[in-house]
Amino acid sequence: MTPLALAERVLAGDPRALARAISLIEDESPVAADLIRAIYPHTGKSYLIGVTGPPGAGKSTLVDKLTAETRKHNETVGVIAVDPTSPFTGGAILGDRLRMQTHSSDPDVFIRSMATRGQLGGLARATTDVALVLDAAGKSLVIIETVGVGQDEVDIVRTADISIVILVPGAGDEVQALKAGIMEIADIFVVNKADREGADRTVASIEAMLSLETYGKGKWRPPIVKTEATTGKGVAELVEQIEKFRTHTAAALGERRRARAEFRVRELMAHRFVQHVERRVLESGEFERLLDAIAARETDPYSVVEDIFKRAIR
Ligand SMILES: Nc1nc2c(ncn2[C@@H]2O[C@H](COP(=O)(O)OP(=O)(O)OP(=O)(O)O)[C@@H](O)[C@H]2O)c(=O)[nH]1
Ligand SMILES: [Mg+2]
């Protein structure tokens, strides 16, 4: 199938075409770039929700419930569960499939797990493109679940239209540890597993952290929502808060999307440049030899990069 024919079918919302398009993106096929070009003018209609938090916080369970709740409001939903093939979570894909089976017979819900590629920014690139595909296919909401451990994952969520950070009770130290990484990207905090001991303490510690900031008039202060993803308790309130945020930031949405575009273009530029260097500038085995030379202190990283750069732009 030509990229244009595939684009047509994606735009028509054909689930098989979606699956095909996503595979092409995952494989970093050159066809994927043509596909994105073809669908891009038709995108920008869906609302992109990023959900992140530590491994096992209940993100998938919550996303499943969030999907069910928003379906009641007649939203159509695309879910991308980014599965880090990192030591943190093993075999989560199977778990995600099981957890999200609830919607398997609903044609207005499309769920896909994606595995991390070891490559520089590969994950962010693929995830953004898959979100575009779901957008083009007419999903009114696109939810991206990532584990808030790596910069890539954080970047994906940071550039969503709304970022939801999920924490769990008994994670006092974790709140500290995660502070630098994901705390400041939260538009909404969720304390999941609220059925567990210590949920109020977790709320209090987030509250304490928020109180260090001054929120001027009209500035959004991230609310904290307690949920029990397993039972669905608190999920309706979460949807309410999402709606509130959406209304509150409607005017700034363009700016946020511009930031997303910037992140994306910078990322693609870097990728393209590195690819060019690897394919057209460096001779076979040269990179390894250069690394050896650096290790032997015969040269240094700056000189190496300067030399490669000069050769690349010649
Ligand atoms: N007690 C309790 N358990 C929960 C709750 N929400 C999720 N869980 C359980 O927590 C475990 C992890 O849930 P997941 O939804 O897979 O968590 P996750 O954050 O998606 O996990 P990864 O994607 O592997 O990082 C599962 O056994 C869930 O049943 C909750 O509100 N209360
Ligand atoms: Mg998960």
Side-chain angles (χ1 to χ4, degrees), residues 260-278:
R260 182 151 84 229
E262 179 185 348
F263 171 70
R264 180 108 186 93
V265 170
R266 285 184 186 280
E267 220 258 329
L268 280 175
M269 270 197 300
H271 179 61
R272 195 64 200 272
F273 186 76
V274 170
Q275 220 174 34
H276 172 71
V277 165
E278 283 175 350

Side-chain angles (χ1 to χ4, degrees), residues 74-291:
N74 284 324
E75 303 277 5
T76 56
V77 187
V79 176
I80 310 166
V82 177
D83 175 53
T85 38
S86 75
F88 293 100
T89 47
I93 286 191
L94 183 62
D96 282 346
R97 290 224 177 104
L98 289 176
R99 259 187 295 291
M100 294 183 179
Q101 239 169 24
T102 343
H103 307 287
S104 60
S105 62
D106 184 346
D108 286 319
V109 176
F110 185 93
I111 295 164
R112 176 74 174 233
S113 289
M114 288 185 37
T116 310
R117 296 292 150 103
Q119 287 192 35
L120 175 75
L123 178 67
R125 237 183 351 265
T127 309
T128 322
D129 284 349
V130 172
L132 285 171
V133 165
L134 295 174
D135 182 344
K139 299 289 178 264
S140 61
L141 293 180
V142 174
I143 308 176
I144 302 179
E145 171 197 336
T146 74
V147 175
V149 285
Q151 191 55 47
D152 252 19
E153 287 85 347
V154 171
D155 282 339
I156 292 167
V157 170
R158 188 201 304 277
T159 57
D161 293 328
I162 181 170
S163 309
I164 300 174
V165 170
I166 304 188
L167 298 167
V168 285
D173 300 335
E174 207 161 39
V175 170
Q176 287 301 324
L178 291 170
K179 224 177 190 168
I182 63 175
M183 297 306 268
E184 79 267 22
I185 68 168
D187 298 309
I188 296 177
F189 284 102
V190 168
V191 175
N192 188 42
K193 306 197 183 184
D195 51 310
R196 289 209 184 150
E197 159 85 35
D200 290 324
R201 265 198 315 266
T202 306
V203 170
S205 67
I206 300 168
E207 200 42 73
M209 189 196 73
L210 289 175
S211 67
L212 299 176
E213 292 269 328
T214 42
Y215 292 89
K217 202 166 177 279
K219 189 159 179 240
W220 177 260
R221 187 183 202 270
I224 307 168
V225 181
K226 283 200 284 183
T227 59
E228 271 178 52
T230 32
T231 63
K233 207 168 156 192
V235 175
E237 198 207 328
L238 175 59
V239 171
E240 247 170 63
Q241 291 294 352
I242 293 171
E243 284 302 324
K244 255 194 190 165
F245 178 83
R246 197 171 172 176
T247 310
H248 187 268
T249 53
L253 187 62
E255 214 175 295
R256 190 138 165 166
R257 291 187 169 179
R258 200 170 179 285
R260 182 151 84 229
E262 179 185 348
F263 171 70
R264 180 108 186 93
V265 170
R266 285 184 186 280
E267 220 258 329
L268 280 175
M269 270 197 300
H271 179 61
R272 195 64 200 272
F273 186 76
V274 170
Q275 220 174 34
H276 172 71
V277 165
E278 283 175 350
R279 289 183 186 167
R280 313 239 180 268
V281 179
L282 294 173
E283 283 151 30
S284 149
E286 189 185 352
F287 193 60
E288 281 64 35
R289 284 199 299 279
L290 287 169
L291 295 182

